[in-house]
Amino acid sequence: MSTHANTKMLSEADGYDLLRRFNVPAPLFEITTSPEAAAAAAAKIGYPVVMKIVSPQIIHKSDAGGVIVGVKTDEEAKTAYNTIISSVKAYNPDAEIKGIIVEEMAKPGLELIIGGKIDPAFGRVITFGLGGTLVEFHKDVGIRILPCNDEEIHSLIKQIKGYKLISGYRGEAPKDEEFLFQTLKNACEFFEKNENVVEFDINPLRLYEKGGCAVDARVIVQDGPVELPPHYDPSKIVPIDYYKPRSVAVIGASDDKTKMGYAVFHNLLQFPGKVYPVNNKRSEIQGVKCYPTLSAIPGPVDMVAITVPAQLVPGIMEECGQKGVKMAVVITAGFKEMDEDGRALENRMVEIAKSYGIRIVGPNCLGLILPPYKLDTTYVSTSPLPGDLAFISQSGAIVNAVVGISLSEGSEMGYSEVVSVGNQSDLDFLDYMSYAQRDPHTKAIILYIEEIKNGVAFMEMAKEITKTKPIVAIKAGSSQRGQAAAASHTGSLSGAYEVYMEAFRKCGVTPVKTLPGAFKVAKILSDVTRAPKGRRAVVITNAGGFAVLSNDYAETWGIEIIDLPKELIDEMNTFLPPFWNKNNPIDLLGDADEARFRGVFDVLCRNPDLWDMAILVNFPNKVLSPEQVARVLIDYSKKTENLLVGTLVGGDCMKPGVSLLTQHNIPVFEELEFTYRTLGHLSWTADR
Ligand code: ADP
Ligand code: MG
């Protein structure tokens, strides 16, 4: 996606005219080119007026001394005219001065900003928040990706911190939220219908108890229509049989354990179909007959894994075409990620593949693993176990680490698909997601994303997938430094992280921050009946300290610890000892036995509409074993569809309870902050 280089800023007057056509109110104005004309215009408009510089080079007029407000007489108007001209000349001697705009002075109101820009991946994005000259200071803005519906506009208004100033702060009368909603909607329409608008902002939009008014407009246009990212095109998606080869050849297979070609071929030995090593220096590799070239292989070859140096790859691709190969996993690095020569090499490889209809995984990747089919084209040291998670990663190293962790003791993690996407020269995130969508083994999808190029298509596809399978995503680059690092190698917009978060919200993807979080959240969400319906939590514990910490963590991660209704407290009073805290978190005290916990869960499960999740927090003690705690949760999880989670803090002695809960598919944590963080991520889905 690119924008024409030829952009220009419309004058404030032209901006007002354009916005007015979309029912965004703007002040009356006149452009003048002499002090006398300014005074005459001001008299006609009616004092007081505001006078501002009109110059294409002056983007922030106040900074240049180009704005004077509250002009009350003809004399003042003439003086203001001259003052503005001389300030602007001093500020920028080269600025071309087109005149002075004399405007009706809008009465004071709440100053807001409405802006729009084109995101290279996600297309038109609008921004809304607290505005005025302090906009950078407030940094209180929300965004929406267009097109967006009424509900999304309403929630955008409510999501900013400054919403209190709109709804009526400290006894002030509320502002006209309906007008604001209409104006935002109109601004969206203005942006979508004017295809040559690259960027705009209305700052400030003054909002009153009744109505409002734009008092500045900056609109940047280009010559032709803006080019937007493409929509999802299902015809581009790889047919599923491409992932089901009957035979796989490894180009560059090796007997030398230090070579990638060794590990790749070794991992493929478990594949139940045919596997062929290709290497012109050997007759046998790892005990299997070796062929000097791909064409020398007698039978058909459906898939190849390529580990030979980049310069050789276009030639090999040509050979693949002749041989009728359908899919090439290009593990080799040294393509566009390296330099211009590498880029040219990659383009050539892709062109050849295209001409034969070969689809490419990579290059510059770890490869593809489909554990249910025992297909592992990577050089990870041990293949992961089959299971129901698809893990799609833009980092090969993270794939390696995740596979390693999944095989470590006590982990019961298995995968349906593991892929490192590499340079995505052909197959990209969408293809691998589409595979996971269609694959019957996959229950949930985890993405590790640095950058998505085709964001619009991504959202369209993810929206479909998340109707049946949850998608959890780690988006790298949330920090200032991370964004700068990402920008320096991808050239992406700063602030893009927020656009990703908004895109995820829009299409039902759950963002998380860490790998353990990703696995926990994916696991819980893949049991759809348990996904929390909201943020309301009840905490039941025998540990006062954890009750206090629960409040802190819950607040940090946006979990709402509800006040218990009196009826529930009354009911609990009938069986709890008189000194229980009668509050949520429910502290059943250190001597709490199983019966106390069961009693509370019994009451909760009979009142499921009052809460969305119940968290049992327990520590090692003699009255109650971790297995007993686990049993309580297991029994009551059969009696409610709400989410029940356990947190057993205390290390190894709690393990029997932890593994019992794990076996019964009940989310369990061994660290309290992680509980709330995970629940916070989960509730993201509930809010939509
Ligand atoms: P800048 O280019 O510096 O953003 P603006 O046109 O936004 O210039 O003017 C600066 C400030 O002056 C505005 O934020 C607003 O508070 C005030 N202002 C500008 N135009 C008007 C107007 N027509 N009525 C009332 N106040 C105005
Ligand atoms: Mg302004």
Side-chain angles (χ1 to χ4, degrees):
M1 132 85 238
S2 66
T3 45
H4 290 251
N6 244 343
T7 59
K8 66 164 195 216
M9 188 174 87
L10 296 186
S11 71
E12 187 174 331
D14 290 346
Y16 283 158
D17 285 340
L18 197 53
L19 286 170
R20 239 192 234 118
R21 285 216 296 263
F22 288 83
N23 291 320
V24 177
L28 293 174
F29 66 84
E30 196 169 308
I31 294 174
T32 60
T33 50
S34 71
E36 293 70 28
K44 201 160 87 199
I45 289 168
Y47 288 109
V49 295
V50 176
M51 293 170 62
K52 306 185 204 177
I53 191 70
V54 182
S55 163
Q57 284 79 37
I58 305 291
I59 295 170
H60 299 292
K61 299 175 291 283
S62 318
D63 293 358
V67 180
I68 295 180
V69 301
V71 177
K72 288 184 213 65
T73 62
D74 284 9
E75 266 330 291
E76 278 182 39
K78 286 181 204 157
T79 317
Y81 190 101
N82 292 325
T83 312
I84 289 175
I85 301 281
S86 54
S87 307
V88 170
K89 276 191 174 148
Y91 182 82
N92 179 358
D94 299 328
E96 182 195 354
I97 293 172
K98 301 228 166 173
I100 299 277
I101 183 169
V102 180
E103 297 181 1
E104 188 181 355
M105 178 147 149
K107 61 182 180 182
L110 179 62
E111 298 207 331
L112 301 168
I113 180 170
I114 300 177
K117 66 175 182 184
I118 310 281
D119 181 90
F122 295 98
R124 292 192 182 95
V125 171
I126 64 150
T127 315
F128 161 74
L130 288 187
T133 40
L134 292 179
V135 62
E136 275 91 12
F137 172 78
H138 290 308
K139 284 201 181 78
D140 183 18
V141 291
I143 55 181
R144 288 291 177 263
I145 296 170
L146 299 187
C148 69
N149 61 30
D150 289 5
E151 206 179 309
E152 288 179 283
I153 296 176
H154 281 300
S155 63
L156 174 61
I157 295 173
K158 293 192 166 62
Q159 98 180 46
I160 64 163
K161 287 195 216 82
Y163 176 67
K164 290 195 194 85
L165 301 173
I166 296 169
S167 63
Y169 185 60
R170 295 203 163 176
E172 262 183 43
K175 306 280 181 291
D176 194 339
E177 194 171 332
E178 179 54 30
F179 165 85
L180 176 60
F181 163 76
Q182 268 310 327
T183 305
L184 268 166
K185 199 170 155 161
N186 295 340
C188 292
E189 194 189 341
F190 149 80
F191 197 18
E192 284 176 305
K193 293 236 168 105
N194 288 278
E195 292 186 317
N196 62 336
V197 173
V198 189
E199 201 182 311
F200 75 93
D201 61 56
I202 303 169
N203 183 24
L205 173 82
R206 288 220 174 134
L207 186 63
Y208 307 126
E209 283 167 34
K210 188 132 187 42
C213 184
V215 289
D216 187 14
R218 201 170 56 86
V219 180
I220 296 174
V221 296
Q222 66 175 28
D223 289 344
V226 172
E227 204 182 309
L228 292 168
H231 288 280
Y232 167 50
D233 175 0
S235 73
K236 290 220 178 90
I237 294 295
V238 183
I240 205 96
D241 60 305
Y242 276 63
Y243 296 91
K244 310 254 167 78
R246 292 157 300 174
S247 51
V248 188
V250 179
I251 320 292
S254 172
D255 259 336
D256 177 349
K257 290 195 176 171
T258 64
K259 295 252 165 78
M260 249 183 234
Y262 174 87
V264 172
F265 190 69
H266 186 78
N267 284 343
L268 269 171
L269 282 177
Q270 56 178 314
F271 181 61
K274 281 208 163 339
V275 285
Y276 303 106
V278 175
N279 182 327
N280 60 10
K281 296 192 197 86
R282 306 270 156 164
S283 58
E284 196 187 282
I285 281 176
Q286 299 181 42
V288 181
K289 179 176 163 44
C290 181
Y291 295 88
T293 61
L294 191 58
S295 10
I297 296 173
V301 175
D302 292 336
M303 184 183 277
V304 296
I306 301 174
T307 65
V308 297
Q311 303 85 301
L312 303 178
V313 174
I316 303 252
M317 204 52 82
E318 186 66 45
E319 235 185 296
C320 289
Q322 306 283 342
K323 185 74 185 165
V325 168
K326 283 176 157 168
M327 182 110 102
V329 181
V330 186
I331 294 164
T332 309
F335 289 94
K336 80 167 177 215
E337 80 284 2
M338 197 166 76
D339 54 18
E340 278 314 304
D341 290 350
R343 183 181 294 275
L345 214 51
E346 183 165 325
N347 291 342
R348 210 156 81 237
M349 168 188 81
V350 171
E351 249 164 60
I352 298 168
K354 248 197 195 132
S355 71
Y356 287 104
I358 305 169
R359 307 306 303 260
I360 300 174
V361 176
N364 181 31
C365 70
L366 198 68
L368 172 76
I369 317 177
L370 303 176
Y373 303 102
K374 294 188 161 43
L375 176 70
D376 183 348
T377 67
T378 71
Y379 55 94
V380 296
S381 52
T382 322
S383 297
L385 298 172
D388 52 22
L389 272 180
F391 187 80
I392 305 168
S393 168
Q394 206 161 359
S395 153
I398 286 182
V399 165
N400 263 312
V402 155
V403 168
I405 294 166
S406 78
L407 291 168
S408 58
E409 218 185 322
S411 154
E412 274 150 72
M413 235 143 57
Y415 297 91
S416 51
E417 177 192 19
V418 178
V419 53
S420 117
V421 300
N423 291 3
Q424 307 183 75
S425 67
D426 176 25
L427 301 199
D428 59 15
F429 270 108
L430 268 70
D431 291 284
Y432 306 119
M433 284 159 63
S434 161
Y435 173 83
Q437 178 184 27
R438 290 171 290 166
D439 167 41
H441 302 281
T442 303
K443 271 196 179 165
I445 302 165
I446 299 178
L447 309 175
Y448 167 79
I449 300 168
E450 284 171 9
E451 188 196 13
I452 286 176
K453 290 244 157 63
N454 43 355
V456 169
F458 172 87
M459 284 194 294
E460 288 161 346
M461 169 177 257
K463 195 167 185 172
E464 270 313 299
I465 297 180
T466 51
K467 285 179 187 159
T468 55
K469 299 182 183 185
I471 304 177
V472 175
I474 302 179
K475 167 69 182 80
S478 62
S479 58
Q480 295 291 327
R481 279 183 77 89
Q483 294 201 8
S488 69
H489 75 91
T490 60
S492 37
L493 278 183
S494 70
Y497 185 79
E498 281 68 36
V499 182
Y500 276 90
M501 291 305 112
E502 171 54 17
F504 291 166
R505 185 201 61 78
K506 208 170 163 70
C507 64
V509 170
T510 306
V512 294
K513 296 267 192 205
T514 64
L515 282 170
F519 288 104
K520 270 286 201 244
V521 169
K523 182 100 190 81
I524 298 172
L525 287 180
S526 55
D527 182 0
V528 276
T529 58
R530 298 282 170 196
K533 293 165 195 68
R535 296 177 173 274
R536 298 167 305 163
V538 181
V539 183
I540 308 99
T541 184
N542 52 357
F546 289 136
V548 181
L549 283 173
S550 282
N551 282 317
D552 296 350
Y553 299 148
E555 189 172 299
T556 303
W557 294 104
I559 295 298
E560 184 199 342
I561 298 194
I562 56 164
D563 288 330
L564 295 174
K566 184 170 178 309
E567 308 81 78
L568 290 208
I569 294 180
D570 287 348
E571 198 176 341
M572 290 178 192
N573 275 334
T574 62
F575 59 85
L576 290 178
F579 40 84
W580 78 288
N581 69 333
K582 300 176 184 61
N583 210 338
N584 184 16
I586 300 173
D587 181 3
L588 298 178
L589 305 166
D591 64 347
D593 59 3
E594 196 179 322
R596 267 186 225 170
F597 279 94
R598 283 189 182 270
V600 170
F601 274 97
D602 205 60
V603 175
L604 291 176
C605 289
R606 278 188 277 106
N607 295 280
D609 296 341
L610 296 176
W611 53 283
D612 304 304
M613 47 185 125
I615 307 159
L616 196 170
V617 187
N618 187 240
F619 69 100
N621 73 56
K622 292 245 187 295
V623 191
L624 194 64
S625 74
E627 286 102 321
Q628 279 177 296
V629 170
R631 286 276 165 229
V632 172
L633 283 171
I634 292 164
D635 292 347
Y636 282 96
S637 76
K638 291 179 193 131
K639 297 184 184 172
T640 178
E641 285 198 345
N642 289 352
L643 179 67
L644 301 190
V645 310
T647 305
L648 307 188
V649 195
D652 283 349
C653 63
M654 305 305 272
K655 289 281 189 229
V658 172
S659 48
L660 204 54
L661 287 169
T662 309
Q663 280 163 33
H664 284 81
N665 253 328
I666 293 174
V668 55
F669 300 84
E670 294 173 71
E671 198 274 306
L672 192 62
E673 201 260 1
F674 190 29
T675 307
Y676 287 95
R677 178 149 37 109
T678 304
L679 293 174
H681 288 320
L682 278 169
S683 319
W684 166 282
T685 326
D687 282 347
R688 288 189 331 262

